[in-house]
């Protein structure tokens, strides 16, 4: 089955930060998991380059918008391999192919009768590039997201008849209770639609950095419409030799942060309906990462967690693991360097890394480096047999945090097993040779099956470990706990998560 998953496209007016890394890593984990399962995955990320935010930032730096966009898009793009992201394409909304396709789709929306000319007056946030409706505005006419002053703007605009989609959107929500996930965000979006929709501005007149409106080239499209369409346009040109629209549209999952819920759960499906295109299957809305003090991260509060510092000290896999482990996906959560260190030391270094080192060292010491081809422990098997199906079920609900919890229960189970069986004692007793064979075979097998399932989270470390266990295959079926040890030769393994000097 095809599985098309996307991240938001990131504004190039800012430097990449933890929030961007978070969404991208979560999306990568889901994409890698589905690839393991043999699904036909396409994973898209990229940059959002048009509109005021970029034009303003460029002006402030004395640059042309394109120069700023080129430089910053490159920063986002080069971050992908650093985070070990497996995206299949990186879209830039300044790509000429994107621009052409945006014009094509929006021309159709126009021709279908959903566009008209009118005067827009309202409170506008230049950082959001969004007009705010009255009940969103903070006291003193401040933006609810950026807490900066809104400007009163009035201009002649092209409008999109969002209001005429109220009924169809409500129908969509009642037909598809998992259109927006998790549930509390479904309810939020649903309530927004129920409270009544106003038409929205589709174009801006006093801006040249954008996609020109084909029927009125004195306007460019309002950046959100240009941006949302990236999910569709990319499929048209990501591969020179094939049109991927047939194969992947509609998207299976859009993964987004809760700040952009309205655009993805209200405007976007309405726009697609207006263009006679299928709406995505799911929009998954995750929460916000907060500073360790539980407040919004901000440089002035000094509570920002720097992903590059985490990677420098603990490595990319540790960052990926930490973000998926510490904050339940779908909720807000506090993050900080102390918590990273605690998880790294207790869970990665002690529980998982140590288990791996000990298991391999014991196989080397007691069995000349060969995993005994002995029957595995039945009790342990009972715990492990259901693991693959459990993970599959929670990942189908896009819950990578719960999946990690299930995996960690098994890692702890294996550590208890080592203590219960005390292989170092069995090794002293020749009559216990079978038991020792069984213990080592079971440990190697448990570790292998867990590592296959952990692979989407920590690709580099699990590859090393699986290679050391002589079983590098990470296909999902391989996560099954086998009845017998493999008989494979193990290889020496450097500590996967070395202790860090304080
Ligand atoms: N360009 C728009 C999105 C257009 S999608 C068609 C945009 N870009 S952004 O650069 O501001 O990125 C916003 C996204 O970054 C959020 O939706 C979220 O995925 C991520 N995050 C930014 N800060 C975040 C946190 N503090 N915590 C978690 N994720 C956050 O909006």
């Amino acid at each position: 089955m095809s599985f098309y998953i996307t991240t938001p496209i990131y504004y190039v007016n800012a430097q990449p930060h933890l929030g961007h890394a978070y969404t991208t890593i979560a999306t990568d984990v889901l994409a890698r998991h589905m690839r393991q399962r043999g699904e036909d995955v396409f994973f898209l990320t990229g940059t959002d380059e048009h509109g005021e935010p970029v034009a303003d930032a460029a002006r402030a730096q004395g640059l042309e918008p394109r120069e700023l966009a080129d430089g910053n898009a490159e920063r986002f793009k080069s971050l992908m391999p650093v985070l070990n992201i497996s995206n299949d394409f990186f879209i830039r909304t300044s790509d000429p192919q994107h621009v052409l396709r945006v014009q094509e789709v929006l021309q159709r929306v126009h021709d279908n009768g959903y566009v008209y000319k009118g005067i827009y007056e309202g409170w506008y946030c230049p950082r959001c590039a969004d007009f705010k409706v009255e009940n969103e505005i903070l006291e003193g006419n401040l933006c609810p997201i950026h807490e900066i002053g809104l400007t009163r703007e009035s201009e002649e605009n092209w409008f999109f008849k969002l209001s005429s989609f109220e009924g169809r959107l409500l129908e969509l929500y009642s037909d598809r209770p998992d259109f927006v996930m998790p549930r509390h965000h479904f309810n939020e979006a649903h309530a927004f639609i129920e409270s009544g929709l106003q038409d929205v501005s589709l174009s801006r007149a006093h801006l040249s950095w954008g996609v020109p409106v084909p029927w009125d080239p004195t306007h460019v499209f309002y950046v959100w419409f240009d941006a949302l369409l990236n999910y569709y346009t990319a499929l048209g040109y990501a591969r020179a030799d094939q049109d991927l629209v047939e194969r992947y549209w509609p998207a299976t999952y859009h993964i987004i942060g809760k700040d952009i819920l309205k655009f993805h759960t209200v405007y976007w499906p309405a726009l697609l309906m207006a263009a006679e295109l299928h709406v995505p299957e799911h929009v998954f809305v995750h929460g916000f990462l907060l500073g360790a003090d539980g407040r919004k991260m901000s440089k002035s509060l000094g509570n920002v967690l720097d992903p590059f510092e985490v990677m420098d000290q603990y490595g990319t896999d540790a960052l990926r693991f930490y973000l998926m482990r510490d904050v339940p996906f779908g909720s807000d959560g506090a993050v900080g360097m102390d918590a990273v260190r605690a998880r790294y030391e207790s869970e990665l270094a002690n529980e998982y890394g140590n288990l791996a080192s000990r298991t391999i060292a014991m196989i080397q010491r007691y069995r000349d480096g060969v995993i005994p081809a002995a029957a595995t422990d039945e009790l342990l098997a009972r715990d492990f047999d259901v693991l693959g199906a459990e993970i599959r079920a929670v990942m189908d609900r896009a819950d990578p945090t719960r999946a990690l919890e299930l995996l960690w229960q098994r890692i702890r189970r294996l550590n208890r097993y080592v203590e219960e069986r005390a292989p170092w004692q069995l090794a002293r007793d020749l009559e216990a040779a079978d038991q020792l064979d069984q213990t080592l075979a079971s440990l190697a097998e448990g570790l292998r099956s867990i590592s296959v399932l952990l692979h989407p989270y920590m690709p580099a470390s699990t590859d090393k470990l699986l290679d050391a266990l002589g079983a590098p295959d990470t296909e999902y079926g391989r996560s099954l706990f086998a009845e017998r040890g493999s008989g494979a030769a193990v290889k020496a393994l450097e500590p996967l998560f070395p202790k860090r000097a304080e």
Side-chain angles (χ1 to χ4, degrees):
M1 278 241 301
S2 75
F3 184 88
Y4 177 29
I5 189 165
T6 65
T7 73
I9 47 172
Y10 304 112
Y11 283 136
V12 286
N13 55 325
Q15 301 285 323
H17 58 65
L18 187 72
H20 307 130
Y22 179 57
T23 315
T24 315
I25 288 170
T27 309
D28 187 59
V29 168
L30 293 168
R32 285 178 182 269
H33 168 84
M34 288 298 172
R35 272 193 213 108
Q36 277 189 309
R37 282 167 52 175
E39 304 293 348
D40 177 17
V41 173
F42 196 82
F43 168 13
L44 179 72
T45 188
T47 42
D48 185 355
E49 307 190 5
H50 290 133
E52 260 103 341
V54 176
D56 290 350
R59 193 171 320 114
Q61 295 175 38
L63 296 172
E64 285 300 313
R66 181 169 296 285
E67 287 175 297
L68 180 96
D70 283 349
N72 283 353
E74 195 41 53
R75 287 207 174 90
F76 277 93
K77 199 167 178 181
S78 60
L79 187 62
M80 298 304 154
V82 175
L83 295 171
N84 209 350
I85 301 302
S86 62
N87 57 303
D88 294 292
F89 188 61
F90 188 98
I91 186 169
R92 296 185 53 187
T93 54
S94 60
D95 292 342
Q97 300 97 318
H98 167 78
V99 170
L100 272 178
R101 286 173 171 84
V102 167
Q103 289 178 323
E104 235 168 68
V105 175
L106 292 174
Q107 179 73 54
R108 195 152 76 233
V109 171
H110 172 270
D111 297 348
N112 286 347
Y114 296 113
V115 175
Y116 64 94
K117 201 166 202 178
I119 300 281
Y120 195 95
E121 204 188 329
W123 294 102
Y124 183 79
C125 171
R127 294 265 291 281
C128 292
D130 185 22
F131 282 100
K132 301 288 164 186
V133 291
E134 292 296 334
N135 61 10
E136 288 181 291
I137 297 171
L138 300 184
E139 228 182 273
N141 288 324
L142 300 183
C143 166
I145 293 169
H146 296 103
E147 297 175 23
I148 56 169
L150 300 173
T151 52
R152 192 73 190 167
E153 301 220 0
S154 156
E155 66 176 35
E156 196 177 54
N157 269 186
W158 291 98
F159 278 72
F160 171 57
K161 283 192 193 168
L162 182 65
S163 61
S164 65
F165 289 91
E166 221 172 279
R168 284 181 68 187
L169 287 174
L170 289 173
E171 218 172 280
L172 167 73
Y173 277 67
S174 85
D175 290 351
R176 308 229 320 243
D178 56 1
F179 174 59
V180 180
M181 299 159 67
R183 193 68 198 177
H184 59 278
H185 286 304
F186 176 97
N187 293 338
E188 185 187 341
H190 188 248
F192 185 88
I193 300 165
E194 262 190 328
S195 74
L197 298 178
Q198 292 169 16
D199 293 343
V200 290
S201 169
L202 178 69
S203 71
R204 306 292 328 251
H206 305 290
L207 185 72
S208 54
W209 181 235
V211 177
V213 173
W215 62 88
D216 178 0
T218 62
H219 283 232
V220 295
F221 285 113
Y222 172 42
V223 63
W224 266 101
F225 287 93
D226 155 12
L228 285 163
L229 279 166
N230 91 88
Y231 303 129
Y232 176 74
T233 62
L235 296 181
Y237 68 97
R239 297 286 177 269
D241 52 343
Q242 22 172 336
D243 182 355
L244 303 175
V245 174
E246 262 299 294
R247 182 155 158 204
Y248 293 111
W249 194 260
T252 319
Y253 272 103
H254 294 310
I255 308 292
I256 61 163
K258 64 180 187 176
D259 51 335
I260 53 179
L261 172 123
K262 178 179 75 181
F263 298 103
H264 285 80
T265 62
V266 184
Y267 291 25
W268 180 224
L271 179 67
L272 288 169
M273 288 170 182
E276 297 166 276
L277 293 168
H278 290 295
V279 304
E281 282 171 43
H282 312 283
V283 177
F284 188 98
V285 187
H286 68 67
F288 255 54
L289 301 179
L290 307 169
D293 51 6
R295 296 166 70 180
K296 193 172 167 176
M297 272 189 215
S298 86
K299 287 213 177 96
S300 54
L301 289 173
N303 62 355
V304 173
L305 179 65
D306 178 356
F308 298 99
E309 200 182 322
V310 175
M311 287 189 282
D312 278 351
Q313 289 195 36
Y314 298 102
T316 299
D317 276 359
L319 174 71
R320 295 171 59 102
F321 166 78
Y322 172 75
L323 292 175
M324 295 299 98
R325 175 79 169 140
D326 219 29
V327 179
F329 196 55
S331 311
D332 292 352
V335 294
M337 213 55 185
D338 289 343
V340 174
R341 185 178 313 113
R343 291 271 184 200
Y344 181 86
E345 285 174 3
S346 67
E347 298 187 340
L348 290 183
N350 291 342
E351 293 178 334
Y352 183 51
N354 244 349
L355 177 69
S357 310
R358 280 169 103 185
T359 302
I360 289 193
M362 290 190 292
I363 292 168
Q364 289 176 318
R365 189 170 326 136
Y366 305 134
R367 289 296 178 262
D368 289 332
V370 175
I371 300 170
T376 49
D377 186 287
E378 271 177 44
L379 270 181
L380 209 57
R382 226 171 282 166
D383 253 0
F384 275 76
D385 280 346
V386 285
L387 185 58
E390 283 178 5
I391 300 293
R392 176 188 284 262
V394 293
M395 292 302 257
D396 280 342
R397 302 198 307 267
D399 193 349
T401 313
R402 177 71 192 142
L404 269 186
E405 178 53 31
L406 293 168
L407 288 164
W408 237 258
Q409 286 170 4
R410 278 20 181 246
I411 289 176
R412 293 184 175 143
R413 176 79 186 84
L414 288 181
N415 277 310
R416 282 201 309 279
Y417 185 73
V418 177
E419 298 308 318
E420 286 160 16
R421 304 291 294 235
W424 47 92
Q425 282 175 12
L426 299 176
R428 284 197 222 115
D429 179 359
L430 272 184
E431 295 194 357
D434 287 353
Q435 279 186 57
L436 182 57
D437 279 347
Q438 181 185 52
T439 305
L440 296 176
S442 304
L443 283 173
E445 190 48 22
L447 200 53
R448 191 194 60 73
S449 94
I450 287 174
S451 301
V452 171
L453 297 170
L454 270 179
H455 187 258
Y457 298 83
M458 299 190 282
S461 317
T462 50
D463 271 344
K464 274 191 212 153
L465 175 52
L466 288 168
D467 185 53
L469 290 171
D473 193 351
T474 57
E475 200 188 299
Y476 204 75
R478 297 285 297 148
S479 68
L480 220 60
F481 188 85
E483 282 172 24
R484 299 181 67 72
S486 67
V490 298
K491 289 183 210 145
L493 181 69
E494 296 281 299
L496 289 176
F497 304 101
K499 287 262 166 23
R500 300 283 144 183
E502 281 299 306

